[in-house]
Amino acid sequence: MSHCTRWSFQRKVDWFRCQFAQHTSLPFSEVLPAQVIASALQAMCLHCYDSVYSPVTVVWLFLSQVIHANPTLAVTVENFLAWRLSHGLPACSNVT
């Protein structure tokens, strides 16, 4: 296989990042189920309170922020607010 026909690792990462970065919401909420994160936390014997910024939400927000073209906290929180509203959840403060 020639070098021209196979993707380099960096190109695969860039493609992956581009696919998720196109979302204006929480793209990882669609591919990383909350139960998977919750099970991992339980396996580590971590117990968390149920809140707006639960560990599941924080993981989704962190991953979304890392891949976003504008990885500011303000944009991440705005996207989270949009996600909450699109899922019929009440709005929360967007003050960062």
Side-chain angles (χ1 to χ4, degrees):
M1 181 180 284
S2 76
H3 181 68
C4 295
T5 59
R6 65 181 174 186
W7 281 15
S8 69
F9 179 74
Q10 182 61 46
R11 191 162 174 192
K12 289 177 186 177
V13 169
D14 291 343
W15 178 87
F16 177 80
R17 184 177 184 193
C18 183
Q19 296 303 307
F20 280 94
Q22 292 176 16
H23 291 269
T24 57
S25 187
L26 295 179
F28 287 94
S29 67
E30 299 171 16
V31 297
L32 182 57
Q35 187 55 43
V36 171
I37 298 169
S39 295
L41 293 171
Q42 287 176 348
M44 294 184 290
C45 297
L46 297 175
H47 304 283
C48 304
Y49 295 103
D50 187 27
S51 66
V52 172
Y53 291 101
S54 69
V56 170
T57 302
V58 170
V59 169
W60 288 340
L61 289 171
F62 172 74
L63 294 172
S64 299
Q65 183 176 4
V66 168
I67 64 160
H68 199 276
N70 182 1
T72 62
L73 182 57
V75 169
T76 302
V77 172
E78 288 172 11
N79 289 342
F80 176 54
L81 178 58
W83 179 85
R84 286 184 58 84
L85 295 174
S86 72
H87 284 80
L89 298 169
C92 60
S93 174
N94 64 349
V95 177
T96 57

Coordinates of all heavy atoms in Angstrom, one line a residue:
M1 N 0.8 -1.2 0.0 CA 0.0 0.0 0.0 C 0.9 1.2 0.0 O 1.8 1.4 0.8 CB -0.9 0.0 1.2 CG -1.8 1.1 1.3 SD -2.9 1.0 2.8 CE -4.0 -0.2 2.3
S2 N 0.7 2.1 -0.9 CA 1.5 3.3 -1.0 C 1.1 4.3 0.1 O 0.0 4.3 0.6 CB 1.4 3.9 -2.4 OG 0.2 4.6 -2.5
H3 N 2.1 5.2 0.3 CA 1.9 6.2 1.3 C 0.7 7.1 0.9 O 0.0 7.7 1.7 CB 3.2 7.0 1.5 CG 3.0 8.1 2.5 ND1 2.8 7.8 3.9 CD2 3.0 9.5 2.4 CE1 2.7 9.0 4.5 NE2 2.8 10.0 3.7
C4 N 0.5 7.3 -0.4 CA -0.5 8.2 -0.9 C -1.9 7.7 -0.6 O -2.9 8.4 -0.5 CB -0.4 8.5 -2.4 SG 1.2 9.4 -2.8
T5 N -2.1 6.4 -0.6 CA -3.4 5.8 -0.5 C -3.9 5.5 0.9 O -5.0 5.3 1.2 CB -3.5 4.5 -1.3 OG1 -2.6 3.6 -0.8 CG2 -3.4 4.8 -2.8
R6 N -3.0 5.5 1.9 CA -3.4 5.3 3.2 C -3.3 6.6 4.0 O -2.5 7.4 3.8 CB -2.6 4.2 3.9 CG -1.1 4.6 4.1 CD -0.4 3.4 4.7 NE 1.0 4.0 4.6 CZ 2.1 3.3 5.0 NH1 2.0 2.1 5.4 NH2 3.2 3.9 4.9
W7 N -4.3 6.6 4.9 CA -4.3 7.8 5.8 C -3.3 7.8 6.9 O -3.1 6.7 7.5 CB -5.7 8.0 6.4 CG -6.7 8.5 5.5 CD1 -6.7 8.6 4.1 CD2 -8.0 9.0 5.8 NE1 -7.8 9.2 3.6 CE2 -8.7 9.4 4.7 CE3 -8.7 9.1 7.1 CZ2 -9.9 9.9 4.7 CZ3 -9.9 9.7 7.1 CH2 -10.6 10.1 5.9
S8 N -2.7 8.8 7.1 CA -1.8 8.9 8.3 C -2.6 9.0 9.5 O -3.8 9.3 9.5 CB -0.9 10.1 8.2 OG -1.6 11.3 8.4
F9 N -2.1 8.7 10.6 CA -2.8 8.7 11.9 C -3.3 10.1 12.1 O -4.4 10.3 12.6 CB -1.9 8.3 13.1 CG -2.5 8.3 14.4 CD1 -3.5 7.4 14.8 CD2 -2.2 9.4 15.3 CE1 -4.1 7.5 16.0 CE2 -2.8 9.4 16.5 CZ -3.8 8.5 16.9
Q10 N -2.5 11.1 11.9 CA -2.9 12.5 12.1 C -4.1 12.9 11.2 O -5.0 13.6 11.7 CB -1.7 13.5 11.8 CG -2.1 14.9 12.1 CD -2.5 15.2 13.5 OE1 -1.8 14.8 14.4 NE2 -3.6 15.9 13.7
R11 N -4.1 12.4 10.0 CA -5.2 12.7 9.1 C -6.5 12.0 9.6 O -7.6 12.6 9.5 CB -4.9 12.2 7.7 CG -5.8 12.7 6.7 CD -5.3 12.6 5.3 NE -6.3 13.0 4.4 CZ -6.3 12.8 3.1 NH1 -5.2 12.3 2.6 NH2 -7.2 13.1 2.3
K12 N -6.4 10.8 10.1 CA -7.6 10.2 10.7 C -8.1 11.0 11.9 O -9.3 11.1 12.1 CB -7.2 8.8 11.2 CG -7.0 7.8 10.0 CD -6.6 6.5 10.5 CE -6.2 5.5 9.4 NZ -5.7 4.2 9.8
V13 N -7.2 11.4 12.7 CA -7.6 12.2 13.9 C -8.3 13.5 13.4 O -9.3 13.9 14.0 CB -6.4 12.5 14.8 CG1 -6.7 13.6 15.9 CG2 -5.9 11.3 15.5
D14 N -7.7 14.2 12.4 CA -8.3 15.4 11.9 C -9.7 15.2 11.3 O -10.6 16.0 11.5 CB -7.4 16.0 10.8 CG -6.1 16.5 11.4 OD1 -6.0 16.7 12.6 OD2 -5.1 16.8 10.6
W15 N -9.8 14.0 10.6 CA -11.1 13.7 10.1 C -12.1 13.5 11.2 O -13.3 14.0 11.2 CB -11.0 12.4 9.2 CG -12.4 12.0 8.7 CD1 -13.0 12.5 7.5 CD2 -13.3 11.1 9.2 NE1 -14.2 11.9 7.4 CE2 -14.4 11.0 8.4 CE3 -13.3 10.3 10.4 CZ2 -15.5 10.2 8.7 CZ3 -14.3 9.5 10.7 CH2 -15.4 9.4 9.8
F16 N -11.8 12.7 12.2 CA -12.6 12.4 13.4 C -13.0 13.7 14.0 O -14.2 13.9 14.3 CB -11.9 11.5 14.3 CG -12.6 11.2 15.6 CD1 -13.6 10.2 15.6 CD2 -12.3 11.8 16.7 CE1 -14.3 9.9 16.7 CE2 -13.0 11.5 17.9 CZ -14.0 10.6 17.9
R17 N -12.1 14.6 14.3 CA -12.3 15.8 15.0 C -13.3 16.7 14.2 O -14.2 17.3 14.7 CB -11.0 16.5 15.2 CG -11.1 17.8 16.0 CD -9.8 18.4 16.2 NE -10.0 19.6 17.0 CZ -9.0 20.5 17.2 NH1 -7.8 20.4 16.7 NH2 -9.3 21.6 17.9
C18 N -13.1 16.7 12.9 CA -13.9 17.5 12.0 C -15.4 17.1 12.0 O -16.3 17.9 12.1 CB -13.4 17.5 10.6 SG -14.3 18.5 9.4
Q19 N -15.6 15.7 12.0 CA -16.9 15.2 12.1 C -17.6 15.6 13.3 O -18.8 16.0 13.3 CB -16.9 13.6 12.0 CG -16.3 13.1 10.7 CD -17.1 13.6 9.5 OE1 -18.3 13.5 9.4 NE2 -16.4 14.1 8.6
F20 N -17.0 15.6 14.5 CA -17.6 16.0 15.7 C -17.7 17.5 15.9 O -18.6 18.0 16.5 CB -16.9 15.3 16.9 CG -17.3 13.9 17.1 CD1 -16.5 12.9 16.6 CD2 -18.4 13.6 17.8 CE1 -16.9 11.6 16.7 CE2 -18.8 12.3 18.0 CZ -18.0 11.2 17.5
A21 N -16.7 18.2 15.4 CA -16.7 19.6 15.6 C -17.8 20.3 14.8 O -18.1 21.5 15.1 CB -15.3 20.2 15.2
Q22 N -18.4 19.7 13.9 CA -19.5 20.3 13.1 C -20.8 20.4 13.9 O -21.6 21.2 13.6 CB -19.7 19.5 11.8 CG -18.6 19.5 10.8 CD -18.9 18.7 9.6 OE1 -20.0 18.2 9.4 NE2 -17.8 18.4 8.9
H23 N -20.9 19.7 15.0 CA -22.0 19.8 15.8 C -22.0 21.0 16.7 O -20.9 21.5 17.1 CB -22.1 18.6 16.8 CG -22.4 17.3 16.1 ND1 -23.7 16.8 15.9 CD2 -21.6 16.4 15.5 CE1 -23.6 15.7 15.3 NE2 -22.4 15.4 15.0
T24 N -23.2 21.6 16.9 CA -23.2 22.8 17.7 C -23.8 22.5 19.1 O -24.1 23.3 19.9 CB -24.1 23.9 17.1 OG1 -25.4 23.3 16.9 CG2 -23.5 24.4 15.8
S25 N -23.8 21.2 19.4 CA -24.4 20.8 20.7 C -23.4 19.9 21.4 O -22.2 20.3 21.5 CB -25.7 20.0 20.4 OG -26.3 19.6 21.6
L26 N -23.8 18.8 21.9 CA -22.9 17.9 22.6 C -22.7 16.6 21.8 O -23.4 15.6 22.0 CB -23.4 17.5 24.0 CG -23.4 18.7 25.0 CD1 -24.0 18.2 26.3 CD2 -22.1 19.3 25.2
P27 N -21.8 16.5 20.8 CA -21.8 15.4 19.9 C -21.4 14.1 20.6 O -21.9 13.0 20.2 CB -20.7 15.7 18.9 CG -19.8 16.8 19.6 CD -20.8 17.5 20.5
F28 N -20.7 14.1 21.7 CA -20.3 12.9 22.4 C -21.5 12.3 23.2 O -21.5 11.1 23.5 CB -19.1 13.1 23.3 CG -17.9 13.2 22.5 CD1 -17.4 14.5 22.2 CD2 -17.2 12.1 22.1 CE1 -16.2 14.6 21.4 CE2 -16.0 12.2 21.3 CZ -15.5 13.4 21.0
S29 N -22.5 13.1 23.4 CA -23.7 12.5 24.1 C -24.4 11.5 23.2 O -25.2 10.7 23.7 CB -24.7 13.7 24.4 OG -25.3 14.3 23.3
E30 N -24.1 11.6 21.9 CA -24.8 10.6 20.9 C -24.0 9.4 20.8 O -24.5 8.3 20.4 CB -24.9 11.3 19.6 CG -25.8 12.6 19.6 CD -25.7 13.3 18.3 OE1 -25.3 12.8 17.3 OE2 -26.2 14.5 18.3
V31 N -22.7 9.4 21.1 CA -21.8 8.2 20.8 C -21.2 7.6 22.1 O -20.7 6.5 22.1 CB -20.7 8.5 19.8 CG1 -21.3 8.8 18.5 CG2 -19.8 9.6 20.3
L32 N -21.3 8.4 23.2 CA -20.8 7.9 24.5 C -22.0 7.9 25.5 O -22.2 9.0 26.1 CB -19.6 8.8 25.0 CG -19.0 8.4 26.3 CD1 -18.4 7.0 26.2 CD2 -17.8 9.4 26.6
P33 N -22.7 6.9 25.6 CA -23.9 6.9 26.4 C -23.6 7.2 27.9 O -22.6 6.8 28.4 CB -24.4 5.4 26.3 CG -23.8 4.9 25.1 CD -22.5 5.6 24.9
A34 N -24.5 7.9 28.5 CA -24.4 8.2 29.9 C -24.2 7.0 30.8 O -23.4 7.1 31.7 CB -25.6 9.0 30.4
Q35 N -24.8 5.9 30.5 CA -24.7 4.7 31.3 C -23.2 4.2 31.2 O -22.7 3.6 32.2 CB -25.7 3.6 30.8 CG -25.7 2.4 31.7 CD -26.0 2.8 33.2 OE1 -26.8 3.6 33.5 NE2 -25.2 2.2 34.1
V36 N -22.5 4.3 30.2 CA -21.1 3.9 30.1 C -20.3 4.7 31.0 O -19.4 4.1 31.8 CB -20.6 4.0 28.6 CG1 -19.1 3.8 28.5 CG2 -21.4 3.0 27.7
I37 N -20.5 6.0 31.0 CA -19.7 6.8 32.0 C -20.1 6.5 33.4 O -19.2 6.4 34.3 CB -19.9 8.3 31.6 CG1 -19.5 8.6 30.2 CG2 -19.2 9.2 32.7 CD1 -19.9 10.0 29.7
A38 N -21.4 6.4 33.7 CA -21.8 6.1 35.0 C -21.3 4.8 35.5 O -20.9 4.6 36.7 CB -23.4 6.1 35.1
S39 N -21.3 3.8 34.6 CA -20.7 2.4 35.0 C -19.2 2.5 35.3 O -18.8 1.9 36.3 CB -21.0 1.4 33.9 OG -22.3 1.2 33.7
A40 N -18.5 3.3 34.6 CA -17.1 3.5 34.8 C -16.8 4.2 36.2 O -16.0 3.8 36.9 CB -16.4 4.3 33.7
L41 N -17.7 5.1 36.5 CA -17.5 5.8 37.8 C -17.9 4.9 38.9 O -17.2 4.8 40.0 CB -18.5 7.0 37.8 CG -18.1 8.2 36.9 CD1 -19.2 9.2 36.9 CD2 -16.7 8.8 37.3
Q42 N -18.9 4.0 38.7 CA -19.3 3.1 39.8 C -18.2 2.0 40.0 O -17.9 1.6 41.1 CB -20.6 2.4 39.4 CG -21.8 3.3 39.6 CD -23.1 2.6 39.1 OE1 -23.1 1.6 38.5 NE2 -24.2 3.2 39.5
A43 N -17.5 1.6 38.9 CA -16.5 0.6 38.9 C -15.3 1.2 39.8 O -14.5 0.4 40.4 CB -16.0 0.3 37.5
M44 N -15.1 2.5 39.8 CA -14.1 3.2 40.5 C -14.6 3.6 41.9 O -13.9 4.3 42.6 CB -13.5 4.4 39.8 CG -12.8 4.0 38.5 SD -12.1 5.5 37.7 CE -13.5 6.4 37.1
C45 N -15.8 3.1 42.3 CA -16.4 3.4 43.6 C -16.6 4.9 43.8 O -16.4 5.4 44.9 CB -15.6 2.8 44.7 SG -15.6 1.0 44.6
L46 N -16.9 5.6 42.8 CA -17.1 7.1 42.9 C -18.6 7.3 42.8 O -19.3 6.8 42.0 CB -16.5 7.8 41.7 CG -14.9 7.8 41.7 CD1 -14.4 8.4 40.4 CD2 -14.3 8.4 42.9
H47 N -19.1 8.0 43.8 CA -20.5 8.3 43.9 C -20.7 9.9 43.8 O -20.0 10.6 44.5 CB -21.1 7.8 45.2 CG -20.9 6.4 45.4 ND1 -21.6 5.4 44.7 CD2 -20.0 5.7 46.1 CE1 -21.2 4.2 45.1 NE2 -20.2 4.3 45.9
C48 N -21.6 10.3 42.9 CA -21.7 11.7 42.7 C -23.1 12.1 42.8 O -24.1 11.4 42.7 CB -21.2 12.0 41.2 SG -19.6 11.5 40.9
Y49 N -23.3 13.4 43.2 CA -24.6 14.0 43.3 C -25.2 14.2 41.9 O -24.5 14.5 40.9 CB -24.6 15.3 44.1 CG -24.2 15.2 45.5 CD1 -22.9 15.5 45.9 CD2 -25.0 14.7 46.4 CE1 -22.5 15.3 47.2 CE2 -24.7 14.5 47.8 CZ -23.4 14.9 48.1 OH -23.0 14.7 49.4
D50 N -26.5 14.1 41.8 CA -27.2 14.4 40.6 C -27.4 16.0 40.5 O -28.0 16.6 41.3 CB -28.6 13.7 40.5 CG -29.2 13.9 39.2 OD1 -28.5 14.0 38.2 OD2 -30.5 13.9 39.1
S51 N -26.7 16.6 39.5 CA -26.8 18.0 39.3 C -26.8 18.4 37.9 O -26.6 17.5 37.0 CB -25.7 18.7 40.1 OG -24.4 18.4 39.5
V52 N -26.9 19.6 37.5 CA -26.9 20.1 36.1 C -25.5 19.7 35.5 O -25.4 19.1 34.4 CB -27.1 21.6 36.0 CG1 -26.8 22.1 34.6 CG2 -28.5 21.9 36.5
Y53 N -24.4 19.9 36.3 CA -23.1 19.5 35.8 C -22.7 18.2 36.5 O -21.7 18.2 37.2 CB -22.1 20.7 36.1 CG -22.4 21.9 35.2 CD1 -23.1 23.0 35.7 CD2 -22.0 21.9 33.9 CE1 -23.4 24.1 34.9 CE2 -22.3 23.0 33.1 CZ -23.0 24.1 33.6 OH -23.3 25.2 32.8
S54 N -23.3 17.2 36.1 CA -23.0 15.9 36.6 C -21.7 15.4 36.0 O -21.3 16.0 35.0 CB -24.1 14.9 36.3 OG -24.2 14.7 34.9
P55 N -21.1 14.4 36.5 CA -19.9 13.8 35.9 C -20.1 13.4 34.4 O -19.2 13.7 33.6 CB -19.5 12.6 36.8 CG -20.1 12.9 38.1 CD -21.4 13.7 37.8
V56 N -21.2 12.9 34.1 CA -21.5 12.5 32.7 C -21.5 13.8 31.9 O -20.8 13.8 30.8 CB -22.9 11.8 32.6 CG1 -23.3 11.6 31.2 CG2 -22.8 10.5 33.3
T57 N -22.2 14.8 32.3 CA -22.2 16.1 31.5 C -20.8 16.7 31.4 O -20.5 17.1 30.3 CB -23.2 17.0 32.2 OG1 -24.5 16.4 32.3 CG2 -23.3 18.3 31.4
V58 N -20.1 16.7 32.5 CA -18.7 17.2 32.4 C -17.8 16.5 31.4 O -17.1 17.1 30.7 CB -18.1 17.3 33.9 CG1 -16.6 17.7 33.8 CG2 -18.9 18.2 34.7
V59 N -17.9 15.2 31.4 CA -17.2 14.4 30.4 C -17.6 14.8 29.0 O -16.7 15.1 28.1 CB -17.3 12.9 30.6 CG1 -16.7 12.1 29.4 CG2 -16.6 12.5 31.9
W60 N -18.9 14.9 28.7 CA -19.3 15.3 27.4 C -18.9 16.7 27.1 O -18.4 17.0 25.9 CB -20.9 15.2 27.3 CG -21.5 13.9 27.3 CD1 -20.8 12.7 26.9 CD2 -22.8 13.5 27.6 NE1 -21.7 11.7 27.0 CE2 -22.9 12.1 27.4 CE3 -23.9 14.2 28.0 CZ2 -24.1 11.5 27.6 CZ3 -25.1 13.6 28.2 CH2 -25.2 12.2 28.0
L61 N -19.0 17.6 28.0 CA -18.6 19.0 27.8 C -17.1 19.1 27.5 O -16.6 19.8 26.6 CB -18.9 19.9 29.0 CG -20.4 20.1 29.2 CD1 -20.7 20.8 30.5 CD2 -21.0 21.0 28.0
F62 N -16.3 18.4 28.3 CA -14.8 18.4 28.1 C -14.4 17.9 26.7 O -13.7 18.6 26.0 CB -14.1 17.6 29.2 CG -12.7 17.5 28.9 CD1 -11.8 18.5 29.2 CD2 -12.1 16.3 28.5 CE1 -10.4 18.4 28.9 CE2 -10.8 16.1 28.2 CZ -9.9 17.2 28.5
L63 N -15.0 16.8 26.3 CA -14.6 16.2 25.0 C -15.1 17.1 23.9 O -14.4 17.3 22.9 CB -15.2 14.8 24.9 CG -14.7 13.8 25.8 CD1 -15.5 12.5 25.7 CD2 -13.2 13.5 25.5
S64 N -16.3 17.7 24.1 CA -16.8 18.6 23.0 C -15.9 19.9 22.9 O -15.7 20.4 21.8 CB -18.2 19.0 23.4 OG -19.1 17.9 23.4
Q65 N -15.5 20.4 24.1 CA -14.7 21.6 24.1 C -13.3 21.3 23.4 O -12.8 22.2 22.7 CB -14.5 22.1 25.5 CG -13.7 23.4 25.6 CD -13.6 23.9 27.0 OE1 -14.0 23.3 28.0 NE2 -13.0 25.1 27.1
V66 N -12.7 20.2 23.7 CA -11.4 19.9 23.2 C -11.4 19.8 21.6 O -10.5 20.2 21.0 CB -10.9 18.5 23.7 CG1 -9.7 18.0 23.0 CG2 -10.6 18.7 25.2
I67 N -12.5 19.3 21.0 CA -12.5 19.2 19.6 C -13.1 20.3 18.8 O -13.0 20.4 17.6 CB -13.2 17.9 19.1 CG1 -14.7 18.0 19.5 CG2 -12.6 16.6 19.7 CD1 -15.6 17.1 18.7
H68 N -13.7 21.3 19.5 CA -14.4 22.4 18.9 C -13.4 23.3 18.3 O -12.3 23.5 18.8 CB -15.3 23.1 19.9 CG -16.4 23.9 19.3 ND1 -16.1 25.2 18.8 CD2 -17.6 23.6 19.0 CE1 -17.2 25.7 18.3 NE2 -18.2 24.7 18.4
A69 N -13.8 23.9 17.2 CA -12.9 24.9 16.5 C -12.7 26.1 17.4 O -11.6 26.8 17.3 CB -13.6 25.3 15.2
N70 N -13.7 26.5 18.2 CA -13.5 27.6 19.1 C -13.7 27.0 20.5 O -14.7 27.0 21.1 CB -14.6 28.7 18.9 CG -14.5 29.9 19.8 OD1 -13.6 29.9 20.6 ND2 -15.4 30.8 19.6
P71 N -12.6 26.5 21.1 CA -12.7 25.8 22.4 C -12.7 26.6 23.6 O -12.1 26.3 24.6 CB -11.4 24.9 22.3 CG -10.4 25.7 21.6 CD -11.2 26.5 20.6
T72 N -13.5 27.7 23.6 CA -13.6 28.5 24.8 C -14.7 28.0 25.7 O -15.6 27.3 25.2 CB -14.0 30.0 24.4 OG1 -15.3 30.0 23.7 CG2 -12.9 30.6 23.5
L73 N -14.6 28.3 26.9 CA -15.6 27.8 27.9 C -17.0 28.4 27.6 O -18.0 27.8 27.7 CB -15.2 28.2 29.3 CG -16.1 27.7 30.4 CD1 -16.3 26.2 30.4 CD2 -15.6 28.2 31.8
A74 N -17.0 29.7 27.1 CA -18.3 30.3 26.8 C -19.0 29.6 25.7 O -20.2 29.4 25.8 CB -18.0 31.8 26.4
V75 N -18.3 29.2 24.7 CA -19.0 28.5 23.6 C -19.4 27.1 24.0 O -20.5 26.7 23.7 CB -18.0 28.4 22.4 CG1 -18.5 27.4 21.3 CG2 -17.8 29.7 21.7
T76 N -18.6 26.5 24.9 CA -19.0 25.2 25.4 C -20.3 25.2 26.2 O -21.2 24.4 26.1 CB -17.9 24.6 26.2 OG1 -16.7 24.5 25.4 CG2 -18.2 23.2 26.7
V77 N -20.4 26.2 27.1 CA -21.6 26.4 27.9 C -22.8 26.8 27.1 O -23.9 26.3 27.3 CB -21.3 27.4 29.0 CG1 -22.6 27.7 29.8 CG2 -20.2 26.9 30.0
E78 N -22.6 27.6 26.1 CA -23.7 27.9 25.2 C -24.2 26.7 24.4 O -25.4 26.5 24.3 CB -23.3 29.0 24.1 CG -23.1 30.4 24.7 CD -22.4 31.4 23.8 OE1 -22.3 31.0 22.6 OE2 -22.1 32.5 24.2
N79 N -23.3 25.9 24.0 CA -23.7 24.6 23.3 C -24.4 23.7 24.3 O -25.4 23.0 23.9 CB -22.5 23.9 22.7 CG -21.9 24.6 21.5 OD1 -22.6 25.5 20.9 ND2 -20.7 24.4 21.2
F80 N -24.0 23.7 25.5 CA -24.7 22.9 26.5 C -26.1 23.4 26.8 O -27.0 22.6 26.9 CB -23.9 22.9 27.8 CG -24.5 22.1 29.0 CD1 -25.0 20.8 28.8 CD2 -24.7 22.7 30.2 CE1 -25.6 20.1 29.9 CE2 -25.3 22.1 31.2 CZ -25.7 20.8 31.1
L81 N -26.2 24.7 26.8 CA -27.6 25.3 27.0 C -28.5 24.9 25.8 O -29.6 24.5 26.0 CB -27.5 26.8 27.2 CG -28.8 27.6 27.3 CD1 -29.5 27.1 28.5 CD2 -28.5 29.0 27.4
A82 N -27.9 25.0 24.6 CA -28.7 24.6 23.5 C -29.1 23.1 23.5 O -30.3 22.8 23.2 CB -27.9 24.9 22.2
W83 N -28.2 22.3 23.9 CA -28.5 20.8 24.1 C -29.6 20.6 25.1 O -30.5 19.8 24.8 CB -27.2 20.1 24.5 CG -27.4 18.6 24.6 CD1 -27.3 17.7 23.6 CD2 -27.6 17.9 25.9 NE1 -27.5 16.4 24.2 CE2 -27.7 16.6 25.5 CE3 -27.8 18.3 27.2 CZ2 -28.0 15.6 26.5 CZ3 -28.0 17.4 28.1 CH2 -28.1 16.0 27.8
R84 N -29.5 21.3 26.2 CA -30.5 21.1 27.3 C -31.9 21.5 26.7 O -32.9 20.8 26.9 CB -30.2 21.9 28.5 CG -29.1 21.3 29.3 CD -28.9 22.1 30.6 NE -30.1 22.2 31.5 CZ -30.4 21.3 32.3 NH1 -29.7 20.2 32.5 NH2 -31.5 21.5 33.1
L85 N -32.0 22.6 26.1 CA -33.3 23.1 25.5 C -33.8 22.2 24.4 O -35.0 21.9 24.4 CB -33.1 24.5 25.0 CG -32.8 25.6 26.0 CD1 -32.5 26.9 25.4 CD2 -33.9 25.7 27.1
S86 N -32.9 21.6 23.6 CA -33.3 20.7 22.5 C -33.8 19.4 23.1 O -34.5 18.7 22.4 CB -32.2 20.5 21.5 OG -31.2 19.7 22.1
H87 N -33.5 19.1 24.3 CA -33.9 17.8 25.0 C -35.0 18.1 26.0 O -35.4 17.2 26.8 CB -32.7 17.1 25.7 CG -31.8 16.4 24.7 ND1 -30.9 17.1 24.0 CD2 -31.7 15.1 24.4 CE1 -30.2 16.2 23.2 NE2 -30.7 15.0 23.4
G88 N -35.6 19.2 25.9 CA -36.8 19.5 26.7 C -36.4 19.8 28.2 O -37.3 19.7 29.0
L89 N -35.2 20.0 28.5 CA -34.7 20.3 29.8 C -34.8 21.8 30.1 O -34.6 22.6 29.1 CB -33.3 19.8 30.0 CG -33.1 18.3 29.9 CD1 -31.7 17.9 29.9 CD2 -33.9 17.6 31.0
P90 N -35.0 22.2 31.3 CA -35.0 23.7 31.6 C -33.6 24.3 31.3 O -32.6 23.7 31.5 CB -35.4 23.8 33.0 CG -35.0 22.4 33.6 CD -35.1 21.4 32.5
A91 N -33.7 25.6 31.0 CA -32.4 26.3 30.8 C -31.7 26.5 32.1 O -32.3 26.4 33.2 CB -32.8 27.7 30.2
C92 N -30.4 26.6 32.0 CA -29.6 26.8 33.2 C -28.7 28.1 32.9 O -28.7 28.6 31.8 CB -28.7 25.7 33.5 SG -27.5 25.2 32.2
S93 N -28.1 28.6 33.9 CA -27.3 29.8 33.7 C -26.2 29.6 32.7 O -25.5 28.5 32.7 CB -26.7 30.2 35.0 OG -25.8 31.3 34.8
N94 N -26.0 30.5 31.8 CA -24.8 30.4 30.9 C -23.7 31.3 31.3 O -22.8 31.6 30.5 CB -25.3 30.8 29.4 CG -25.8 32.2 29.3 OD1 -25.9 32.9 30.3 ND2 -26.0 32.6 28.1
V95 N -23.7 31.7 32.5 CA -22.6 32.6 33.1 C -21.4 31.6 33.3 O -21.6 30.6 34.0 CB -23.0 33.3 34.4 CG1 -21.8 34.1 34.9 CG2 -24.2 34.2 34.1
T96 N -20.2 32.0 32.8 CA -19.1 31.1 33.0 C -18.1 31.8 34.0 O -18.1 32.9 34.2 CB -18.3 30.8 31.7 OG1 -18.0 32.1 31.1 CG2 -19.2 30.0 30.7

